[in-house]
Amino acid sequence: MDVSERDRPADHTAVADDAAYGTAVLPTSPPLSRRRWMSNILLIILVVDVALVLVSEFGLGTHLLGRSSLSTVTPVLGVLILMSLAQGVVIGTGGIDLSIPATITLVGTITLKASDGKNGGLAEAIVTVLVACVVIGIVNGLLVEVFGLNALVVTLATGQLIGGITRLYRGPVPSVSNVPPALDDFSSKNFGGVSLILILAVAFVLVLYVVLNLTTAGRKLVASSASVRAASLAGLAAKRYRIAAWVLATVVCGLGALLLAGQIGSPDLTLGDPYLLATVVAVVLGGAVLSGGRVSPVGIALGAIFIAVLNQDLQVRGYSTGVAQIAQGLVLGLGLAFLGYLRVRRTGRLFSRKK
Amino acid sequence: MNDIDEVRRRVARTNRRRLAGTVAGAAAIALVLGACSSSGSGGGGGSATKAAGSSAAGDGGSADGATVQKMVDKAFLTHVEVSSLPAVVQKAFQVAAGTQTQAQLDTALKCWQAATCDTGTGGTTTLGIADGFGDNTWRKISKMEIILQALQYKKIGKITYTNAHGDLSQMNANIRSLTAQGVKAIVTYDDFGSAVLPAYSAAQRAGAKVSAFVGGIPNAPTSAVSNQVHEDICTAGKEMATTATKLLGGKGQVAFFNGTPGNPQGATWNTCAETQFKSGGGGVDVAYKADTNWTPAGTFKAASGLVSTGKPIKAILYDYADPLPQVVKAYEQAGKVTPALITFTSNNDLFGVWEKAQGTSKAFDLYYTSGLNYQARVSVTAVMELLDGKSVPAQSIVPMPFVKATKGIYAPSLPGTYPGSSVLIPTSLLTKMLS
């Protein structure tokens, strides 16, 4: 989503003026300066990623590029990219989705229960997962976009709700603890050490990039996500598109969780726990602003790579998960500060305009 | 209590020897049994089992010595003399081995499914269960062990269960709630260590007795927790190190996997295992340590990190069996053979992946211990003994022997999270729980 109303006052005015005259014009390609700015961000994170991989490989003794390492790191990375994309779509609307961990855990439980651990039940499980994710997305979207509630509070609440439902649905002693073998096999596949999950995640990044940037529906979604007011003035059903963004995000999260469940094999009630802070950090590293607007799928993927490699380095060096959390917190803080610094340099403003 | 039991055991031994002496054809057998009793071990524990059986069980249950010994062996997965256990543990097994009617089993299931239940005995004592995180199969099984043990006591008329879902403030609130309800017997699995001690102290000041099972709460005064049932973590760490040293032939690299960062259990067994390695000549090197948070995802990442180090690890020592299938998965994905796994507790999924690997190029060694759920039963007996005014030591330390995996340990009809054959719940009831 390369459209940011607040960073593009000229566009905003143009859209509003066009709407006022009844000739709504959709935001088209962004101004060169902002595109260049985003390109610079992507270039920076790409360089940082490459540097980190090289330091890991040759300086820290993390044999990342070996086949055996790749085969265990890339599935984790693939899942993180998908979850971060889900978070990124929501952050693009100016919201945040704290219910992602609970949704992941619910999907893991559905995968077990609906399939009964058998290949024959896998299709039913996938359909149930998709239905559940659509419902969660609609509920979150309606509460935030229609009722105007704060996304943070709403998703915190729905996360609790989903968590409670998951526990009840799972039951006291789950009779099945392993996902269907077909899903396990599928999620464990790799090509030259590169996990199929990562390949699918990268493919999804590209599809999302194309859809958001090169299709009418995608541009409408981007416009509505970036600024509900500007999009409404442009004649778009902005809220509907924004709700669609929530649904899209939750479905992406659900598909990622399905693959995660397959990769873990025996999903439990902690399945989603690692995907709260990490997804936000990946999105921020990808050049997004937490208040919404500018989000790049490619940037998110690069951000996720940084987080995954950093975590692997910390793991190999024997640092505790506490250190990993501190590192992620620091990266989040520094990333936000760096983006803020770049914005000040570009616009001369410390704070962005209100919508 | 200990002295009384000892007297009873001696009387039982004497009676058996007299009986043996009157039957000429059984003289040899009597001699063998007599020898067993004097040695205190081996021979299936014949004398010890009789001794245990001769002492009175709980106010609801009683069993002969052989049944008690069989139950002890099942709980520990290997032969452990009943007489070698602390008195309260012996008592708990005597109570647990007592007969239970179908009506009691039905009540147990009803209680297990509810937060509060009436046991139907008309007893005036309420047993409170304070679980820090009662959401996994191990805890659910432990809950049933507690209920079955409680149903052997006619004095217990009501059982109230609370679950903090891993939330410290909820745990404190639950303890306070039990205290306010006048619960006098509290058994707890404490996930929060000393952070809950003030709540336990308040409960005991109100007249309750608190017993904690598994793991132990470091530095807990008896004013807060009257009794703790737990294994000796340091000894267990040393046993793991000894097992690894033998397995590696005294030389090689091993990895330690721990749970949450800085947890006292991990710190204890890590230190003791390292000390044991050093005392064994220092040929075994701890080349990698990682936290797993005791979760599948955390364990996979730890194993992934271990693979990325490229170190030739020969054994992984861990204090929780449930997430270990993730290690096997990571190694299989990496195209490597899984190192030997030496772990506290046991898990059916782990048994499944171990059995699947046997006879293939991916075969690996597995050493494990009892699921430890029986300790929950000991806690019930401890609080009931305390409420009866009997003396129970602050620490009831039980052995935790490691056993090597053998074919047939995997139970395909049971859930993967099932903690193995050390569970003492009758099969018929277990089937209903899992249905």
Side-chain angles (χ1 to χ4, degrees):
Chain A
M1 296 182 198
D2 289 300
V3 179
S4 171
E5 174 259 351
R6 74 191 49 143
D7 293 320
R8 191 159 48 91
D11 277 8
H12 177 189
T13 311
V15 171
D17 289 348
D18 289 337
Y21 286 97
T23 54
V25 175
L26 291 174
T28 54
S29 58
L32 187 62
S33 61
R34 191 171 52 77
R35 180 184 288 173
R36 185 177 297 155
W37 188 84
M38 179 54 84
S39 299
N40 288 343
I41 294 286
L42 294 184
L43 189 63
I44 290 169
I45 183 71
L46 178 64
V47 169
V48 170
D49 278 354
V50 171
L52 184 62
V53 169
L54 292 176
V55 168
S56 304
E57 187 68 28
F58 302 108
L60 298 176
T62 307
H63 305 296
L64 271 179
L65 303 179
R67 191 184 184 284
S68 53
S69 268
L70 280 176
S71 61
T72 59
V73 174
T74 51
V76 176
L77 172 60
V79 171
L80 181 59
I81 288 175
L82 288 170
M83 299 307 173
S84 302
L85 283 175
Q87 188 68 273
V89 170
V90 173
I91 286 178
T93 69
I96 191 165
D97 191 352
L98 301 186
S99 66
I100 280 180
T103 304
I104 294 169
T105 306
L106 173 65
V107 169
T109 304
I110 290 173
T111 311
L112 289 179
K113 296 273 286 188
S115 70
D116 201 23
K118 297 185 177 86
N119 288 342
L122 186 55
E124 184 189 334
I126 293 171
V127 170
T128 311
V129 163
L130 290 175
V131 170
C133 288
V134 168
V135 169
I136 292 168
I138 289 174
V139 169
N140 278 337
L142 283 175
L143 289 172
V144 174
E145 303 302 340
V146 176
F147 293 95
L149 301 175
N150 183 287
L152 191 143
V153 177
V154 164
T155 54
L156 196 62
T158 52
Q160 289 288 314
L161 193 68
I162 296 163
I165 290 169
T166 304
R167 287 174 201 277
L168 291 175
Y169 176 57
R170 190 179 172 92
V173 178
S175 54
V176 179
S177 59
N178 290 308
V179 300
L183 180 61
D184 194 325
D185 293 343
F186 181 81
S187 304
S188 301
K189 275 195 170 60
N190 69 69
F191 300 93
V194 178
S195 166
L196 180 59
I197 297 177
L198 179 60
I199 293 168
L200 289 174
V202 171
F204 195 80
V205 167
L206 297 176
V207 168
L208 196 61
Y209 178 84
V210 169
V211 168
L212 293 179
N213 289 282
L214 302 177
T215 67
T216 306
R219 298 303 297 165
K220 286 178 178 176
L221 183 65
V222 167
S224 303
S225 294
S227 171
V228 64
R229 191 173 60 179
S232 295
L233 288 171
L236 298 178
K239 285 191 175 175
R240 207 166 63 199
Y241 277 105
R242 289 170 71 86
I243 292 170
W246 279 93
V247 174
L248 173 67
T250 317
V251 168
V252 172
C253 170
L255 292 174
L258 202 61
L259 293 170
L260 174 64
Q263 188 247 324
I264 291 291
S266 52
D268 68 350
L269 289 172
T270 64
L271 186 69
D273 288 0
Y275 296 96
L276 184 58
L277 182 60
T279 55
V280 177
V281 176
V283 175
V284 168
L285 286 176
V289 180
L290 288 179
S291 51
R294 189 175 45 247
V295 172
S296 158
V298 177
I300 290 172
L302 292 173
I305 290 171
F306 181 86
I307 295 297
V309 174
L310 181 67
N311 281 345
Q312 189 71 2
D313 282 337
L314 294 171
Q315 194 75 257
V316 168
R317 304 296 293 174
Y319 290 112
S320 73
T321 46
V323 175
Q325 284 176 344
I326 290 171
Q328 284 186 10
L330 279 174
V331 169
L332 178 61
L334 291 173
L336 283 171
F338 183 65
L339 287 173
Y341 168 74
L342 288 181
R343 185 189 298 115
V344 169
R345 279 198 59 181
R346 190 173 69 88
T347 64
R349 297 196 307 266
L350 184 58
F351 300 105
S352 56
R353 290 180 181 185
K354 293 280 181 193
K355 280 184 186 177
Chain B
M1 184 61 211
N2 219 354
D3 293 339
I4 294 169
D5 281 350
E6 186 56 33
V7 169
R8 284 171 175 161
R9 278 194 291 273
R10 285 178 183 173
V11 169
R13 281 179 205 148
T14 307
N15 288 341
R16 285 181 57 243
R17 285 170 185 167
R18 281 177 185 166
L19 180 64
T22 60
V23 183
I29 298 169
L31 283 171
V32 169
L33 291 173
C36 288
S37 69
S38 60
S39 67
S41 65
S47 63
T49 58
K50 280 291 178 189
S54 64
S55 51
D59 62 0
S62 63
D64 64 89
T67 308
V68 175
Q69 183 64 58
K70 197 175 167 188
M71 184 167 265
V72 169
D73 292 351
K74 180 174 166 59
F76 288 91
L77 296 175
T78 187
H79 180 69
V80 173
E81 283 291 339
V82 176
S83 57
S84 70
L85 298 170
V88 70
V89 182
Q90 291 184 37
K91 176 79 177 177
F93 276 107
Q94 287 157 15
V95 173
T99 310
Q100 288 192 308
T101 63
Q102 186 54 49
Q104 279 179 306
L105 297 182
D106 292 342
T107 304
L109 185 62
K110 189 184 74 179
C111 288
W112 183 73
Q113 289 166 335
T116 299
C117 80
D118 191 329
T119 64
T121 62
T124 54
T125 303
T126 299
L127 176 73
I129 306 170
D131 199 336
F133 178 82
D135 299 306
N136 62 36
T137 303
W138 192 92
R139 302 296 178 93
K140 299 293 181 186
I141 295 281
S142 297
K143 180 184 176 185
M144 180 55 96
E145 300 272 20
I146 291 168
I147 291 166
L148 286 171
Q149 190 80 352
L151 290 178
Q152 297 287 50
Y153 290 90
K154 291 190 174 68
K155 287 176 185 169
I156 298 177
K158 189 178 170 187
I159 300 171
T160 298
Y161 171 79
T162 62
N163 180 359
H165 301 294
D167 182 346
L168 171 60
S169 58
Q170 184 64 53
M171 183 71 172
N172 278 312
N174 289 344
I175 303 286
R176 283 196 295 271
S177 169
L178 290 173
T179 308
Q181 292 172 55
V183 172
K184 298 300 179 202
I186 298 175
V187 294
T188 180
Y189 187 109
D190 185 355
D191 294 85
F192 312 100
S194 55
V196 197
L197 291 181
Y200 291 142
S201 296
Q204 293 210 141
R205 279 199 302 275
K209 294 295 179 188
V210 177
S211 174
F213 57 92
V214 178
I217 308 170
N219 307 318
T222 49
S223 59
V225 182
S226 293
N227 169 260
Q228 294 187 54
V229 186
H230 59 93
E231 54 293 328
D232 184 341
I233 298 295
C234 184
T235 303
K238 286 179 178 174
E239 278 191 41
M240 281 205 287
T242 304
T243 306
T245 304
K246 280 182 191 166
L247 200 65
L248 272 59
K251 196 176 179 184
Q253 291 187 324
V254 299
F256 285 0
F257 279 12
N258 287 299
T260 49
N263 77 83
Q265 174 174 297
T268 303
W269 77 256
N270 280 203
T271 306
C272 294
E274 282 171 321
T275 306
Q276 187 69 14
F277 282 135
K278 281 176 191 163
S279 68
V284 179
D285 174 37
V286 183
Y288 182 78
K289 283 187 184 182
D291 293 325
T292 65
N293 290 326
W294 289 309
T295 64
T299 306
F300 184 87
K301 284 180 185 170
S304 171
L306 181 54
V307 168
S308 290
T309 63
K311 291 176 179 170
I313 298 295
K314 300 290 184 196
I316 295 173
L317 281 62
Y318 194 19
D319 56 6
Y320 188 35
D322 284 27
L324 273 174
Q326 296 304 315
V327 174
V328 181
K329 198 175 179 78
Y331 269 83
E332 285 186 355
Q333 282 186 5
K336 293 185 168 185
V337 178
T338 307
L341 302 176
I342 304 168
T343 180
F344 291 11
T345 73
S346 43
N347 169 267
N348 200 33
D349 254 347
L350 178 60
F351 294 158
V353 296
W354 176 82
E355 280 210 356
K356 195 178 168 190
Q358 296 313 296
T360 72
S361 58
K362 298 172 186 170
F364 60 94
D365 287 317
L366 170 65
Y367 293 84
Y368 62 100
T369 71
S370 153
L372 309 179
N373 305 79
Y374 73 87
Q375 290 187 23
R377 287 179 178 261
V378 180
S379 268
V380 175
T381 295
V383 285
M384 294 311 291
E385 295 279 289
L386 286 163
L387 286 176
D388 275 351
K390 292 172 184 167
S391 171
V392 175
Q395 308 282 333
S396 301
I397 296 170
V398 289
M400 191 163 67
F402 286 81
V403 294
K404 187 175 183 181
T406 52
K407 279 206 168 183
I409 51 172
Y410 176 52
S413 61
L414 293 171
T417 49
Y418 181 67
S421 60
S422 61
V423 169
L424 302 179
I425 299 168
T427 310
S428 60
L429 184 56
L430 195 62
T431 306
K432 286 180 184 170
M433 286 168 65
L434 303 177
S435 63

